[in-house]
Amino acid sequence: MAQNVTKVHLLDDIKDLAEPAGFGDQLETRFARAALGSKEGALGLQRIKPGQRQPFGHKQKEQEEIHVIIAGSGRVKVDHDFVDLVQYDAIRIAPDVVRQFEAGPDGMDLLIFGSPAGDPTKVGGGDSITYKKFWDA
């Protein structure tokens, strides 16, 4: 493979961060930016279990994100609105918009694309702000 190309397998090569954080009963979450050696782009994979949601809402201070549903269905709460999502839907979320995803009965797998500033070894590059009780607010 060319020297300027990096390949990783998102399930085999990237550690699930949800399990050690105590969220393994809800989802898997894997971020590939550091493993890919990316300086500008970021890629994440989340696999939300059936009927579960991400454990907290969050927003980015500077980066926008694009989420692509690659399997299953569900919905996302964005600020005070809900958006239904099915396989192959893509949703762009601007900075400063709080979001939290919830899986339907078949679960929901989503790819997350962004371009965070900051440390590529940190989730979100250090750009993320979390909200623990966002869904019910």
Side-chain angles (χ1 to χ4, degrees), residues 65-136:
E65 292 181 336
I66 297 172
H67 298 74
V68 180
I69 310 312
I70 59 172
S73 64
R75 62 185 180 154
V76 60
K77 181 177 182 187
V78 286
D79 286 336
H80 300 290
D81 298 318
F82 290 89
V83 179
D84 291 326
L85 300 166
V86 297
Q87 187 177 27
Y88 303 123
D89 278 347
I91 184 168
R92 182 195 65 85
I93 302 176
D96 286 326
V97 175
V98 183
R99 79 292 309 255
Q100 187 174 10
F101 287 79
E102 177 181 64
D106 295 324
M108 182 166 55
D109 293 358
L110 53 138
L111 289 176
I112 307 158
F113 300 90
S115 57
D119 186 345
T121 64
K122 292 184 179 177
V123 174
D127 186 41
S128 185
I129 301 170
T130 60
Y131 299 87
K132 294 202 184 277
K133 300 192 186 256
F134 169 69
W135 193 269
D136 299 321

Side-chain angles (χ1 to χ4, degrees), residues 23-34:
F23 304 126
D25 57 335
Q26 295 165 285
L27 73 157
E28 294 175 27
T29 189
R30 301 164 193 274
F31 293 97
R33 183 180 184 199

